[in-house]
Structure formats: C-alpha cells, structure tokens
Amino acid sequence: MSQVAAAVQRIIAPISEDLLAVDREVIDDLQSDIPLIKKISDYIVTAGGKRMRPIVLMLIARALGYQGKEHIFLATMIEYVHTASLLHDDVVDESDLRRGKPTAGFKWGNAAAILTGDFMYSRAFQLMVRTQNLRICEIVAGAVNRVSEGEVIQLLNIHDTTLDEARYFDVIERKTGVLFEAAARMASVVAGASKEVEDKMAEYALCLGRAFQIIDDVLDYTGSKDNIGKNLGTDLREGKMTMPLIYALRHCPEEDAKIIRTAVSSNDPDLESVTRVILASGAIDACIEAAKKEVFRGIDALNCLPTSAFKNSLIELLSLTVERDR
C-alpha cells in the first residue's frame, strides 16, 4: 500500500461505518424508472470518486460531537450536487476522460449527460426539502448558485492571458471551495454549533478546496495520466489560465511568455514547450507553497475543536492535499 493510500485509510477510519452508509444511500436513493437515467447515474456514482465532500461533512459533524444519523443524509445530498456538477463540467469542457474512465457525455452523448445531471440536482433538492430545515436549504441552494456562477466566470476567462491570481482564486472558490464550504456549514448546523464555530469550519473547508484545486492544476502539468485519471494538459487545451501558467507568465522571460500566450489561445497547444517554461520559471514550487499556506490557515481554523480522532483526520486530510499525486 502506498503512503497516500495508507493516509487515506487513517483519515476515514473514524467514520468508516458512516462512509459505508453514505455509499449505500448514494446508490440506493438514486432510483429512476427511466432506464437511461439509472444507467448513467449508476455509472457516474460508482466511478471511483473520493467522496471528499461527504468525508468533510461527516468528520466535522463528529468532531463537533454529533451523535445522530442525519449527517449521512446530508452527505448523500452534497455528493449528488457534486456529481451533477461533474456531469455538466465534462460537457462544457468537452472532456472524454474522468477518473480514468470515459465520461458520460462520451459514452451516451452530451444531451443525456446534461439531463442526467439535471436529474441528480433535482434529486438533491428533493432530499434538501425533506430536511425541513430552512438553514440547510439556504446553504445548498446558495452553493449550487455559486457553482453555476463559477462555471460562467470560467467560461468568460477562457483564452484570457490577463487573468491574475485574484480572479483565479475567485473561480476556484466558487467551483471547488463552495461545495466543501457547504458540507462544513451543514455539518455545523446539524451538530448545533455556534455561528462562530460554523464560520471557522467553513474557513477550513475553503482552505481545503483552494489547496486541492491548486494541486489539481499542478498535476495537470506534472502528474501521470494513469494516476490522475485524465489526459495531461487538459486545462491548457481548454484555454484555461490556471495558477502554474499565471505564475510562469509573470516570472519568465518575454520569449517564454510568448510561448504561453500562443498556447493558451491555440486549439492545439504545444504542451511540452509550455511545461518546460512552467518548470523553468519555478511555478510548480510556488504553487505548492501557496497550497501549503492554505493548509496552515485551515489547520489554524480547527483550533476551536476539541482534540479527537475526527479532528486529527481533518488535519491529515488537509495536509494530504499537498502530498497527493492524483
């Protein structure tokens, strides 16, 4: 077993039974009498996802002393929202590979993928209404709204080499961080935590989301296809200015900057040349340092929690985002 795999097992050990219950709920509750919807839904929810948002929700709830079962229900709901966003994401990005498997759009067509994503969003909203908790409804509805805004902002940023770090962080907070934040806030609500503690848990979750996405963007240039489950250079081919490119463009010679600008605006970019520029500029180390700063901020936000195995897992989960290779 690799060090990362061993770390994952340690992280989920305190909530192993809860996580198994979520896995069952995710599959059992996602039923439809439309065969194609069921086929695509089963395909996407069993495709080997990390269940990170449910893990965050369950660890925080337990770390706050929650002893009930409603957090399993909420974790199932946030996983549906996340999975629906992935179905839509892959269509917008014209992706043909996700987690090492063909995307739903590639297998069944974009229309079927989009409509199944809509089905999963609506199923999440059905679960949300069943909570009869207005605060939970506000959190989920607000998160879905912000994710959608993030997608539109990212679309507007395509091929834009003037994108700076502030705009980059705005996008990744909306696209990645917001669902982690929603998970943290729902966990805090169900555990009866104060607004101050809820805000601290939300800060932890946003730091996790930012660190996770920064490393994701690094792996798009330095990872391996087998590990990350998608083709390298996907962001570049889609014209996305991620943090490695933003840093490299600011610190490289003008001759290299032209290589980046040309690649970002091209439909067939030279990945090898751009990767060379990124590595030479020190962008990878800078990105890793930026992710580590998020880790330190996130750990600091957990200081309000009492010592427990659940808190330890939250700390290790955050640290693992920087160490992972997939």
Side-chain angles (χ1 to χ4, degrees), residues 225-298:
K225 178 180 175 180
D226 290 341
N227 279 343
I228 66 175
K230 64 178 183 177
N231 297 315
L232 294 182
T234 297
D235 291 335
L236 182 63
R237 282 186 289 274
E238 292 168 0
K240 294 177 183 176
M241 283 289 293
T242 57
M243 195 169 183
L245 283 179
I246 293 169
Y247 182 93
L249 190 59
R250 195 169 69 238
H251 292 88
C252 68
E254 180 56 28
E255 183 178 346
D256 286 343
K258 288 179 181 177
I259 292 174
I260 292 178
R261 294 190 191 100
T262 299
V264 171
S265 61
S266 171
N267 291 323
D268 185 24
D270 185 346
L271 176 61
E272 185 176 343
S273 295
V274 171
T275 301
R276 176 187 59 76
V277 172
I278 288 173
L279 293 174
S281 71
I284 299 304
D285 288 340
C287 289
I288 292 172
E289 283 304 309
K292 287 180 178 178
K293 287 180 181 178
E294 297 295 338
V295 170
F296 296 142
R297 290 191 194 104

Side-chain angles (χ1 to χ4, degrees), residues 175-195:
K175 283 201 61 191
T176 304
V178 70
L179 291 185
F180 285 112
E181 179 190 11
R185 290 193 182 278
M186 285 195 290
S188 302
V189 169
V190 78
S194 67
K195 182 63 166 61

Side-chain angles (χ1 to χ4, degrees), residues 117-221:
D118 292 344
F119 167 78
M120 297 191 76
Y121 270 131
S122 64
R123 181 51 55 88
F125 287 143
Q126 286 178 321
L127 297 181
M128 177 181 74
V129 171
R130 278 166 51 188
T131 68
Q132 298 185 341
N133 185 316
L134 182 58
R135 179 66 182 131
I136 295 294
C137 292
E138 289 174 342
I139 291 168
V140 177
V144 172
N145 184 262
R146 290 185 68 201
V147 168
S148 299
E149 288 177 337
E151 287 289 353
V152 174
I153 294 171
Q154 182 171 267
L155 188 64
L156 294 173
N157 290 341
I158 293 295
H159 303 306
D160 184 358
T161 55
T162 68
L163 190 75
D164 59 16
E165 287 185 8
R167 289 165 63 196
Y168 165 79
F169 275 108
D170 183 40
V171 170
I172 68 170
E173 185 167 306
R174 292 173 189 265
K175 283 201 61 191
T176 304
V178 70
L179 291 185
F180 285 112
E181 179 190 11
R185 290 193 182 278
M186 285 195 290
S188 302
V189 169
V190 78
S194 67
K195 182 63 166 61
E196 181 181 4
V197 170
E198 179 186 324
D199 288 343
K200 288 290 186 181
M201 296 304 98
E203 177 59 24
Y204 163 85
L206 286 170
C207 289
L208 175 65
R210 288 190 289 261
F212 185 87
Q213 191 59 55
I214 291 169
I215 298 302
D216 241 26
D217 294 341
V218 166
L219 292 175
D220 197 45
Y221 291 97

Side-chain angles (χ1 to χ4, degrees), residues 50-59 74-75 78-79 81-83 85-86 99 175-184 208-209 212-213 317:
K50 303 177 184 71
R51 303 276 196 265
M52 282 189 65
R53 291 141 196 88
I55 288 170
V56 167
L57 191 154
M58 291 184 290
L59 283 173
L74 298 177
I78 201 69
E79 184 68 4
V81 171
H82 171 59
T83 306
S85 72
L86 294 185
R99 298 167 181 161
K175 283 201 61 191
T176 304
V178 70
L179 291 185
F180 285 112
E181 179 190 11
L208 175 65
F212 185 87
Q213 191 59 55
L317 176 63

Side-chain angles (χ1 to χ4, degrees), residues 51-126:
R51 303 276 196 265
M52 282 189 65
R53 291 141 196 88
I55 288 170
V56 167
L57 191 154
M58 291 184 290
L59 283 173
I60 289 177
R62 293 304 196 196
L64 290 170
Y66 182 67
Q67 298 296 318
K69 296 292 184 181
E70 191 176 353
H71 67 316
I72 292 170
F73 179 78
L74 298 177
T76 301
M77 178 169 55
I78 201 69
E79 184 68 4
Y80 286 169
V81 171
H82 171 59
T83 306
S85 72
L86 294 185
L87 282 163
H88 287 181
D89 245 4
D90 287 339
V91 172
V92 171
D93 295 340
E94 299 179 358
S95 302
D96 58 5
L97 204 62
R98 160 91 55 187
R99 298 167 181 161
K101 297 173 63 176
T103 60
F106 184 82
K107 280 179 70 71
W108 289 283
N110 287 341
I114 286 288
L115 294 171
T116 302
D118 292 344
F119 167 78
M120 297 191 76
Y121 270 131
S122 64
R123 181 51 55 88
F125 287 143
Q126 286 178 321

